[in-house]
Amino acid sequence: MPGLAGFASSKPLSPKQLNAQLEALENALTRTAHHSLYRVLYGPCVGGAAVCPSWQSSPIVQTHDGLTLWLDGACFNRAELSRKNSRKFASDAEFFLSAITNPLDRALLKSVDGLFSAVVFDAHRNLLHIVTDRYGLRPLYWLRSKDSICWASETKAFLTLPNFSPKINTNAPETFLATGQLPPNQTWLSHVEQLPPATRLTCRLKDGTQSRERYWHWHELAPFIDKTS
C-alpha cells in the first residue's frame, strides 16, 4: 500500500550506507505497478521515501531553508483553509510543510480535515517532525534505537534493519485477547510504537530528546446542527 519509510541517524553515514538502509526499508513497503516511488537522501544522516499512486503529484518538498517533507495522504480542505487565512499553497505537500514548521501557520494543523501522515526533517535545526492525521487512518510507526530514529507505514519494514532484533511485545497478546485491539501507541513488536492520531512528535537528533504534542481533540469538532427527518 502507499506509505512512508525512512530514518535519521545521529552519526554520519557513507553514501553507500545511506542508500543501502533506505533501499532495505522502502523495499519492504507493498507497492504495485500503479504506484510511484519518491526518495530523498540527505547526507550524511537522513534518508526517506514515499510511495503513492502514479496519478498523485509528488509527495516530497525540499526548500532552500533546509526543510524536507515526505507526505502520505491528502488534505481535503486545503482550498478553504488557504482562502480563510489569505495564503496560497501550490500543493498539499507545501501546505503541510508550512503548517508543521512555520510558527505563523501552526494553527492550520488543528483545522486540517484529511487523511495523512507526514515526516519533516529540518537540517538547520537538526529536528525531525513526525505527524499523523486526526483520525489515525494513515498509521505511521517509529522505532528509536541507539543511533537512529526510523519510521515506516508498515511494521515489517523494521525487520530489514541490520541492528534490529524483533521481539514480541509481552503485553500485546493479553491486551489483544481481552479487548480485541491494541492501544493507539502499541504494536506487536517491542520498542516499535504507533504514533497516536492528531499527534506531532519532534525529535532533536543531536541529543535524542523528544517532545510530543496532541494538536487536536474530538471535543473541538463542531456539532452538526440541522433538521433531521
Side-chain angles (χ1 to χ4, degrees), residues 51-176:
V51 175
C52 70
S54 300
W55 50 263
Q56 187 175 333
S57 60
S58 172
I60 289 178
V61 170
Q62 284 183 286
T63 74
H64 62 278
D65 297 323
L67 299 171
T68 302
L69 172 137
W70 296 267
L71 174 67
D72 173 30
C75 172
F76 303 148
N77 60 341
R78 171 167 58 93
E80 176 189 351
L81 293 177
S82 299
R83 185 173 60 254
K84 285 183 177 180
N85 294 274
S86 302
R87 299 298 307 276
K88 186 176 182 180
F89 300 99
S91 65
D92 283 348
E94 287 188 14
F95 172 84
F96 282 114
L97 185 67
S98 188
I100 293 170
T101 63
N102 188 340
L104 300 177
D105 289 334
R106 285 190 180 177
L108 293 177
L109 203 56
K110 293 185 65 173
S111 304
V112 170
D113 183 16
L115 305 180
F116 70 92
S117 58
V119 177
V120 176
F121 173 59
D122 186 337
H124 291 331
R125 296 175 178 81
N126 212 22
L127 296 176
L128 185 74
H129 306 285
I130 304 176
V131 185
T132 52
D133 66 50
R134 61 172 65 171
Y135 310 111
L137 294 179
R138 278 289 191 273
L140 198 59
Y141 306 93
W142 67 288
L143 168 68
R144 174 80 195 187
S145 64
K146 180 181 178 181
D147 298 319
S148 67
I149 297 172
C150 300
W151 64 87
S153 297
E154 301 178 53
T155 54
K156 66 180 182 179
F158 300 119
L159 302 179
T160 67
L161 298 174
N163 297 323
F164 178 62
S165 300
K167 295 180 181 178
I168 293 294
N169 182 349
T170 55
N171 296 323
E174 183 178 350
T175 303
F176 183 79

Side-chain angles (χ1 to χ4, degrees), residues 30-64:
T30 302
R31 65 181 190 270
T32 69
H34 302 293
H35 290 92
S36 298
L37 174 68
Y38 299 85
R39 66 198 316 258
V40 170
L41 288 172
Y42 202 110
C45 59
V46 176
V51 175
C52 70
S54 300
W55 50 263
Q56 187 175 333
S57 60
S58 172
I60 289 178
V61 170
Q62 284 183 286
T63 74
H64 62 278

